């Protein structure tokens, strides 16, 4: 169990980074006492968090996919995909859009 203190105007993502450093884990999801995952883009205040609230940090594993000549890494903590390798085999994701 760890205790963190940051300004109420900070984002949930800032708190997640503190937890990741403290627990030495690359990908964490923060979960509130009512069991919902917190949006890292929200401020602590907008997320409804108050001083003394207890959160759970859930370690989320990155997922790796591969083809003959390329790789893709799903980074769940940041909701992003990183690709590399031969563009003919999926190693170039520069054209992908939300």
């Amino acid at each position: 169990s760890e205790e963190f203190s940051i300004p109420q105007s900070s984002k949930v993502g800032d708190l997640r980074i503190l937890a990741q450093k403290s627990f030495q884990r690359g990908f964490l999801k923060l979960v509130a006492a009512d069991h919902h995952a917190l949006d890292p883009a929200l401020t602590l205040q907008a997320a409804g968090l108050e001083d003394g609230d207890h959160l759970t940090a859930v370690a989320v594993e990155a997922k790796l996919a591969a083809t003959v000549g390329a790789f893709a890494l799903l980074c769940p903590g940041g909701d992003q995909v990183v690709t590399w390798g031969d563009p003919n085999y999926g190693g170039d994701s520069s054209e992908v859009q939300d």
Side-chain angles (χ1 to χ4, degrees):
S1 175
E2 292 286 332
E3 186 173 315
F4 302 104
S5 179
I6 60 175
Q8 189 72 13
S9 60
S10 300
K11 295 193 178 219
V12 172
D14 300 328
L15 182 59
R16 183 179 69 188
I17 290 170
L18 283 174
Q20 287 174 173
K21 288 179 180 177
S22 177
F23 298 127
Q24 298 179 354
R25 298 280 183 228
F27 303 109
L28 291 180
K29 184 177 288 192
L30 297 180
V31 179
D34 66 0
H35 306 290
H36 79 275
L38 298 173
D39 182 346
L42 293 178
T43 64
L44 299 177
Q45 187 173 21
L49 297 176
E50 297 179 3
D51 188 30
D53 280 354
H54 293 261
L55 303 176
T56 301
V58 178
V60 182
E61 294 294 324
K63 294 183 174 46
L64 181 68
T67 65
V68 172
F71 300 90
L73 180 68
L74 171 62
C75 306
D79 295 326
Q80 67 181 13
V81 176
V82 178
T83 59
W84 66 97
D86 188 327
N88 296 317
Y89 291 94
D92 178 9
S93 60
S94 61
E95 299 293 322
V96 176
Q97 300 177 7
D98 285 335

